[in-house]
Amino acid sequence: MTNLNEKILLLDAPEIPDARPNFPGSQVNLLPLSALGSPLKVLIPEWYSSPSDPGVPVLLRLLLNGNRVADYPFTTPIDPALFPFEAHIPEAHLVQEGVYEVSYILDIGGNEDMAASTPITVDLTAPNFGNPGEPPQFPPEIDSEGITPQYLAAHNDEVLVTIAIYMQQRACDSIEFHFGSLAAEPVIIETVHDATSRTVIKLSGAIIREIGSGTMFAFYRLRDRAGNLGQQSSFKQVKVDLS
């Protein structure tokens, strides 16, 4: 028996080509910051419910959370080359964080068909709620004696630096690790593996030797998949003696 209160979705859901790929545990259809500075592209699949008679008015009504954000009028016959049809959500509608539902209604001569919806996520907050992270953690021998040729020779010509778990940690966040001066560019960009593990960065002897001896500052910045970049973490001073 058919439930008369159940709405039948006749039209395919829209597609959001600029959304980041989804994976288990990810934010659904996450929008990069670069997609939020202009109208968001929405692709509408071809529909097959238009009448063959010429001159019939067809109105595509683009919806965001059930509210109309744009109208696109057509008149039959509709050229199949128009599909997928490119509609746009004005950027003013996506200035707040959250999960939105994108859908559309097709009005054909006064009869309306509803489409399935596609969720999108707007994230405007850097990892760790934008707060500075804890300082990077070095092995105890480095804390007490610094980085030396002897240490590198005994440890596969690398130093393992640990980044503690932080708030809002998500798989595929990036850790931009800096080593040298406080103005140094990142020497390593490491991808976060999951939401519950510390991240280990392998600081190679080659990088250390290129920077040279002295007192170095080690710190990092966190960046998420949307592109939000956090503040500089607390720094760690590390002595390097390559003589």
Side-chain angles (χ1 to χ4, degrees):
M1 178 180 295
T2 301
N3 184 349
L4 297 179
N5 292 321
E6 183 179 353
K7 181 176 288 187
I8 300 175
L9 302 176
L10 300 178
L11 303 174
D12 292 336
E15 300 175 6
I16 313 297
D18 290 332
R20 298 292 193 204
N22 296 322
F23 55 84
S26 70
Q27 295 162 287
V28 61
N29 293 332
L30 176 66
L31 298 180
L33 297 182
S34 59
L36 299 177
S38 58
L40 181 68
K41 184 190 301 184
V42 178
L43 298 182
I44 307 297
E46 185 174 5
W47 60 81
Y48 299 95
S49 53
S50 297
S52 57
D53 298 335
V56 177
V58 177
L59 181 64
L60 170 65
R61 186 173 300 128
L62 186 62
L63 307 177
L64 186 67
N65 287 350
N67 299 312
R68 183 174 63 184
V69 294
D71 286 343
Y72 298 91
F74 303 84
T75 302
T76 59
I78 300 174
D79 185 357
L82 290 176
F83 298 96
F85 179 74
E86 184 174 313
H88 294 89
I89 299 172
E91 60 267 37
H93 292 280
L94 297 172
V95 296
Q96 300 291 330
E97 285 193 331
V99 178
Y100 298 79
E101 295 289 337
V102 182
S103 187
Y104 60 95
I105 291 174
L106 198 61
D107 184 322
I108 304 175
N111 296 313
E112 293 186 346
D113 288 338
M114 184 73 183
S117 65
T118 299
I120 56 175
T121 301
V122 174
D123 183 352
L124 304 176
T125 303
N128 206 38
F129 292 105
N131 297 309
E134 297 180 11
Q137 302 167 11
F138 283 74
E141 304 98 306
I142 301 297
D143 289 339
S144 60
E145 301 176 13
I147 300 174
T148 64
Q150 293 77 18
Y151 181 91
L152 293 173
H155 293 86
N156 197 34
D157 198 38
E158 63 188 11
V159 176
L160 301 183
V161 183
T162 302
I163 307 300
I165 300 170
Y166 52 87
M167 294 182 291
Q168 296 179 297
Q169 180 169 310
R170 294 188 175 96
C172 293
D173 285 349
S174 296
I175 298 176
E176 301 182 2
F177 180 73
H178 302 246
F179 188 78
S181 72
L182 289 175
E185 294 295 318
V187 296
I188 297 171
I189 299 178
E190 187 73 26
T191 300
V192 174
H193 182 264
D194 57 52
T196 58
S197 303
R198 296 179 297 174
T199 301
V200 176
I201 294 174
K202 295 181 179 181
L203 179 60
S204 71
I207 291 175
I208 295 168
R209 286 187 289 271
E210 181 179 354
I211 295 172
S213 297
T215 299
M216 304 300 166
F217 293 89
F219 61 94
Y220 60 90
R221 299 180 74 178
L222 303 170
R223 189 189 296 271
D224 61 24
R225 287 204 309 146
N228 297 296
L229 180 62
Q231 298 184 56
Q232 177 181 309
S233 72
S234 299
F235 64 81
K236 178 85 171 216
Q237 287 186 279
V238 180
K239 180 182 176 182
V240 179
D241 185 357
L242 300 176
S243 59

